[in-house]
Amino acid sequence: MSSSNPISKENISTSQAAVMVINYMLGAGILTLPRTTVDAVRTPDAWISIIVSGLIVMAAGWIVVLLCKRFQGKTWFQFVPEITGKWIAFILSLLVIGYFIVISAFEIRILAEVTGLFLLEDTPMWAIVLPFMWIGLYLTLGGINCIARLYEIILPITLVFLVLALMLSSTIFEMDNLRPVLGSGPMPVLRGIKPTLLSFTGYEIMLIATAFMKFPKKATRAVIAGISVPVVIYTFTVVMVIGGMSIDGVKTRTWPTLDLMRSFEVQGLIFERFESLLLVIWIMQIFSTYTVTLYAASLGWSQVFNKKFRPFVFALLPVIFLIAMIPKDVTEAFKLGDTVGYASVFLFGVIPLILLLVSLVRKKGATSK
């Protein structure tokens, strides 16, 4: 790692790398995936599209870690010049940095939209976003080890309460809403692959995290585990949302998962309504995605220009804030998210495969198992 990087001596375990991938993936998709998938599939088979997309993303993640393991101890920004040369690597690095910046901006914009609608009505958007960004700045300055340790705390809380809330929605669950399976054949399932792929962005953090792993040879295990958990969570969420609200009910809701939580009550518990609880754990996941992408973008700048890490973290905050404020409404924010999702397919699905093949042909990097 670059000597100009003050966090270069940090390292993370295999489980921490997996947790980083999980927390990155479980962002805005928890609330929007049922609607976007159902819009594309238009049958109860949306959950099958999620499983198929998950398998595709696992293959992409496997390719990413194969590439990274050939250059152990180096991030994307450090090993790509060895494969392509300085100038092509510079362009690719800028694209990846730009991607992480826009993902950060998108996540905090969605946070502001949902929080302003359900929790803090009539609160100015900047008043929601800025405290969130500054807290994220504090964590990011601590480095990847601090980020990973916090994620290890956030993830179990998220999984327990999310699964609990979804299980309690079984009081309004109707199995008939999920039938017939493949009643219209496989084509609707295939149509649902594209929008579901966009919700599985997150495995690309291994382009950076692998360099910090104590045992980089276990990166494949980390990325497969990191993708598997969101696949299960997303599938379970979509099944429960469709089962509780039906296909027609899901298509007409902007935030169907939240609407599901608002559609039932459980008497006698501390929380009789669960949408606020779901929002709390969802905000923690948005925080995870925001901080890890802020970290990745800042680290990218510092390594591309061989400068110190901390100034770039501060410099990126106003940039992220301005990008987050560009969409005029939630519809434009969703379009921004779709655009970034399509870019991720090219940046982290196609380019790593090309670079892996080039590195093999040119015999760059070390052979790893």
Side-chain angles (χ1 to χ4, degrees), residues 43 45 48 178 180-186 189:
T43 71
D45 301 320
I48 302 177
L178 294 169
V181 177
L182 295 177
S184 301
V189 173

Side-chain angles (χ1 to χ4, degrees), residues 164-165 168 264-274 277:
L164 175 63
L168 290 173
F264 70 91
E265 293 184 5
V266 180
Q267 301 294 332
L269 295 181
I270 297 176
F271 299 99
E272 293 185 355
R273 298 290 293 273
F274 284 86
L277 181 61

